Amino acid sequence: MTAKKKVLCAIGTRPEAIKMAPVILKLREQAWCDLVVLATAQHRDMLDQVLSIFNIVPDYDLDIMQKNQALPELTARLIMSMDQLLTDIEPDLVLAQGDTTTVMVTAMSCFYKKIPFAHVEAGLRTGDIYYPYPEEMNRVVTGHMTTLHFAPTETSNNNLLKENIDQSSIYVTGNTVIDALIYTAKNEYDIGIDLDSGKRLVLLTSHRRENFGAAMEEAFTAILELAEHNRDIEILYPVHPNPNVLEVANRILGNHDRIHLIEPLAYPQFVQAMKSAYIIISDSGGVQEEAPALSKPVLVLRNETERPEAVDMGVVKLVGTDKEVILHEANKLLNDEDYYSSVAKGVSPYGDGHSAERIVNIIKDYFFTRA
Ligand code: UD1
Ligand code: UDP
């Protein structure tokens, strides 16, 4: 029998765990695969929340998170620990998903050790290295240290080609977030908070570094005014635990009877909240991909996106953090039913729920057919 191949999946934050879970669960079924799951724990509680939902127990845990961690020290701590682990584990291939510091450091550590690296959700680009910050540069750097690129869409495939990456190393697989969403959304869950069923739900998330400070304050002021002007809405905001977000959220939105600031929801409960929402306002990458598949309009608190597909289809709208623009667009969705129906049309440009299967088949092929 051919020797098994050791595949290491590295995950650091909540969205990486959600999007990597379908791949990990598929790899676990493969007789040829000796699977190693590594949690860097760049996020602690939010990562653990996802891992327990998908019954994933990491083989290694670097427990790296510190309160209000700065990028240089996070990167430095990660790269030292990652190098030692790769020396000890000696994987045949390493996988990571997305654009976080965990992903960039994992790719770089593999490069230093000449270990092949596979990138899930490859090729997303805004074209502006400071937007989103530091994720755009993480993607660019990672892309140039990658052996197998799993691009979610043709657009991301083309972004890689523009950077002179060889087409023979790129595979358009769809985004595994839709696998996770379909798996989760088929059931109903109790969100666990008392919402008024007579009111329409506006779901809010916000955490982007480039919005910290004045931009986030202006966006939250718009949300407060939105609640005051529309007495038939309730706003649900699971607040990201980053101290830079928590402080502004509590100060501006913390004292209104129809604005509920809560801790991050477990993934199934968050999916339920998206299903229950009338509109979603968010700067999240994952939410921009999930909401269109659930027929929910999203106003994105950003000026640019690396996920243009749903914007082009008219189901996602970029509103930035300007108060008047946010209020105008949100009020239009809340108060013009025809407009709302034209936006909430249920399209899923990011995947069909079979992305993890494609990725695992390509990895198998890489080891046993192409080798
Ligand atoms: C990180 C990623 C971002 C991704 C986001 C997903 C980087 C540079 N940023 O941003 O790309 O979109 O995760 O949410 O990789 N914290 C906790 N508990 C947790 C998680 C975070 O308390 O479970 C707090 C800690 O104080 C931590 C801080 O949030 O230091 C920031 O975490 P970090 O991962 O550095 O940045 P995020 O803003 O979460
Ligand atoms: N999410 C969650 N609980 C929450 C808020 C979001 O499970 O309270 C999920 C959401 O469905 C999506 C992912 O977390 O899959 C997005 O994570 P985040 O916005 O933190 O990161 P990004 O996608 O912007 O990198």
Side-chain angles (χ1 to χ4, degrees):
M1 197 192 108
T2 327
K4 282 188 170 197
K5 296 294 181 185
K6 195 180 274 186
V7 178
L8 185 148
C9 292
I11 43 183
T13 67
R14 169 174 68 191
E16 292 163 68
I18 292 169
K19 291 171 169 180
M20 193 68 111
V23 179
I24 290 174
L25 299 182
K26 265 277 171 280
L27 282 172
R28 215 193 244 169
E29 295 169 3
Q30 309 299 311
W32 56 266
C33 180
D34 179 6
L35 174 67
V36 182
V37 177
L38 162 65
T40 67
Q42 177 181 333
H43 281 177
R44 184 70 277 170
D45 23 323
M46 292 209 294
L47 180 71
D48 295 344
Q49 216 177 19
V50 180
L51 294 177
S52 71
I53 298 293
F54 288 99
N55 291 317
I56 295 170
V57 180
D59 301 287
Y60 297 86
D61 192 322
L62 300 179
D63 200 19
I64 219 87
M65 192 190 92
Q66 289 182 2
K67 195 165 186 264
N68 207 7
Q69 56 207 1
L71 294 174
E73 43 124 346
L74 172 64
T75 307
R77 281 185 287 118
L78 265 173
I79 204 154
M80 296 305 290
S81 316
M82 187 67 77
D83 184 67
Q84 186 57 53
L85 259 173
L86 294 181
T87 305
D88 296 344
I89 299 172
E90 295 187 328
D92 296 297
L93 180 74
V94 174
L95 263 88
Q97 186 285 334
D99 53 22
T100 65
T101 298
T102 287
V103 177
M104 189 268 287
V105 167
T106 303
M108 187 165 280
S109 306
C110 288
F111 169 72
Y112 287 149
K113 292 213 120 46
K114 299 188 178 166
I115 296 169
F117 175 79
H119 190 203
V120 179
E121 199 180 80
L124 275 65
R125 298 287 186 272
T126 61
D128 179 345
I129 57 164
Y130 291 113
Y131 206 103
Y133 169 84
E135 291 83 359
E136 177 77 359
M137 185 52 92
N138 285 347
R139 296 171 189 145
V140 173
V141 170
T142 299
H144 289 276
M145 297 184 291
T146 295
T147 305
L148 300 174
H149 304 261
F150 300 124
T153 65
E154 285 300 337
T155 307
S156 39
N157 180 61
N158 292 338
N159 289 337
L160 292 169
L161 294 180
K162 281 183 214 148
E163 291 176 11
N164 293 325
I165 288 171
D166 203 290
Q167 180 68 78
S168 64
S169 64
I170 312 171
Y171 302 84
V172 178
T173 58
N175 196 312
T176 54
V177 74
I178 304 298
D179 300 32
L181 181 69
I182 290 173
Y183 174 86
T184 308
K186 58 181 187 255
N187 298 318
E188 299 295 313
Y189 308 90
D190 181 2
I191 299 178
I193 84 146
D194 222 3
L195 293 168
D196 182 343
S197 57
K199 300 211 180 332
R200 291 180 295 172
L201 183 66
V202 175
L203 180 63
L204 171 68
T205 81
S206 178
H207 71 84
R208 297 244 76 89
R209 265 182 162 76
E210 63 275 8
N211 283 349
F212 288 171
M216 194 170 274
E217 291 189 8
E218 181 163 348
F220 287 176
T221 305
I223 302 295
L224 182 63
E225 289 190 18
L226 190 71
E228 277 165 2
H229 294 164
N230 294 275
R231 304 208 151 269
D232 69 330
I233 65 168
E234 276 197 304
I235 294 175
L236 180 64
Y237 178 13
V239 186
H240 191 290
N242 192 318
N244 301 286
V245 181
L246 268 173
E247 188 277 321
V248 187
N250 286 327
R251 175 160 46 85
I252 298 180
L253 301 172
N255 193 22
H256 192 285
D257 59 347
R258 280 180 289 105
I259 301 179
H260 308 280
L261 301 188
I262 58 168
E263 300 218 328
L265 286 166
Y267 186 57
Q269 279 68 29
F270 188 76
V271 170
Q272 188 71 40
M274 285 193 285
K275 283 160 73 177
S276 311
Y278 192 70
I279 63 171
I280 301 174
I281 303 178
S282 178
D283 62 13
S284 161
V287 172
Q288 286 178 63
E289 295 155 344
E290 294 162 331
L294 297 170
S295 309
K296 301 298 174 180
V298 192
L299 299 180
V300 178
L301 301 170
R302 298 177 48 184
N303 300 319
E304 295 172 46
T305 182
E306 57 291 307
R307 295 164 170 91
E309 297 86 350
V311 177
D312 293 345
M313 289 171 156
V315 295
V316 166
K317 184 137 196 158
L318 298 179
V319 293
T321 52
D322 182 281
K323 190 177 86 168
E324 297 311 322
V325 178
I326 296 170
L327 280 170
H328 176 77
E329 292 298 333
N331 278 321
K332 201 154 76 163
L333 282 169
L334 287 169
N335 301 313
D336 181 341
E337 277 185 36
D338 291 339
Y339 177 66
Y340 182 91
S341 310
S342 73
V343 175
K345 50 192 174 200
V347 295
S348 187
Y350 300 110
D352 60 0
H354 296 284
S355 303
E357 196 179 307
R358 286 186 197 102
I359 287 169
V360 170
N361 285 337
I362 294 160
I363 294 173
K364 186 178 174 196
D365 191 44
Y366 166 78
F367 281 131
F368 301 104
T369 312
R370 288 211 281 162

